Amino acid sequence: MIDFGLAKNYKDSTGKHISFRENKGLIGTARYASLNAHLGREISRRDDLESIGYMLIYFLVGKLPWQDLQGNDKNQKYQKIAELKMKIPTSQLCQGLPPQFETYLNYVKNLDFMEDPDYKYLKKQFRILFVENGYDFDYNYDWLDTGRTR
């Protein structure tokens, strides 16, 4: 899910946030990249969170609206993906999903470049969804051998 080979620090060695830059190439997989990444802007935590939102929607729905777009070349295809990401309302992208997904995407898309995301708030949105769906915090994960029959 996450390619840490693309990871970089968002703060420099002095603890100062990296500077905003433009005219950068697309980093990551176009399907999940933030709109800022498509537009050649320096990416930050907000963009990582946007990408995670697209991955979660893909996991639930199995497809993203820009997935099958074609172009004469890679750049044209990426441009079409960016245009659709700009155009499609979050409400349409999250149609049929629990409201927490739209809340999440709206929140992360409105973060400023250097802004500290409120991770507690975002985590709380999905904890609410977890409880609303009748799940219990039993800490019995699928990958643990708890003696349960599957």
Side-chain angles (χ1 to χ4, degrees), residues 116-135:
D116 289 333
D118 186 345
Y119 295 110
K120 276 185 163 179
Y121 167 75
L122 294 172
K123 188 175 176 181
K124 182 178 179 184
Q125 296 304 308
F126 290 102
R127 280 184 172 269
I128 290 168
L129 180 59
F130 185 82
V131 171
E132 284 177 349
N133 280 278
Y135 293 102

Side-chain angles (χ1 to χ4, degrees), residues 1-10 18 24-34 37 41-45 47-48 51 55 78:
M1 280 184 9
I2 299 172
D3 183 352
F4 287 107
L6 302 174
K8 70 181 210 176
N9 292 326
Y10 69 91
I18 58 173
K24 298 185 60 88
L26 179 67
I27 296 173
T29 305
R31 181 186 297 175
Y32 308 110
S34 70
R41 299 174 181 152
E42 181 77 59
I43 57 174
S44 68
R45 295 168 289 173
D47 302 289
D48 294 337
S51 294
M55 282 195 314
Y78 290 174

Side-chain angles (χ1 to χ4, degrees), residues 8-149:
K8 70 181 210 176
N9 292 326
Y10 69 91
K11 291 185 178 180
D12 66 18
S13 59
T14 68
K16 184 180 173 198
H17 198 288
I18 58 173
S19 299
F20 179 80
R21 295 182 6 212
E22 295 191 86
N23 300 317
K24 298 185 60 88
L26 179 67
I27 296 173
T29 305
R31 181 186 297 175
Y32 308 110
S34 70
L35 181 56
N36 288 311
H38 281 282
L39 297 176
R41 299 174 181 152
E42 181 77 59
I43 57 174
S44 68
R45 295 168 289 173
R46 67 179 179 183
D47 302 289
D48 294 337
L49 292 169
E50 184 178 338
S51 294
I52 290 169
Y54 295 145
M55 282 195 314
L56 292 173
I57 292 169
Y58 176 79
F59 290 154
L60 284 169
V61 178
K63 187 174 169 92
L64 290 165
W66 46 81
Q67 195 166 319
D68 295 325
L69 293 177
Q70 300 297 317
N72 293 331
D73 58 25
K74 189 166 61 169
N75 289 337
Q76 186 182 53
K77 179 180 177 176
Y78 290 174
Q79 179 63 34
K80 286 182 177 184
I81 292 171
E83 289 170 1
L84 187 53
K85 285 181 182 178
M86 268 190 273
K87 192 167 55 172
I88 191 165
T90 307
S91 60
Q92 184 180 340
L93 181 62
C94 297
Q95 189 173 8
L97 297 175
Q100 287 84 354
F101 287 87
E102 185 176 352
T103 299
Y104 173 90
L105 272 179
N106 284 331
Y107 175 84
V108 301
K109 286 180 170 187
N110 284 299
L111 287 168
D112 289 328
F113 175 73
M114 291 189 200
E115 190 172 351
D116 289 333
D118 186 345
Y119 295 110
K120 276 185 163 179
Y121 167 75
L122 294 172
K123 188 175 176 181
K124 182 178 179 184
Q125 296 304 308
F126 290 102
R127 280 184 172 269
I128 290 168
L129 180 59
F130 185 82
V131 171
E132 284 177 349
N133 280 278
Y135 293 102
D136 185 26
F137 291 102
D138 60 8
Y139 303 99
N140 289 321
Y141 303 108
D142 289 346
W143 56 86
L144 296 176
D145 184 7
T146 60
R148 293 183 301 168
T149 306

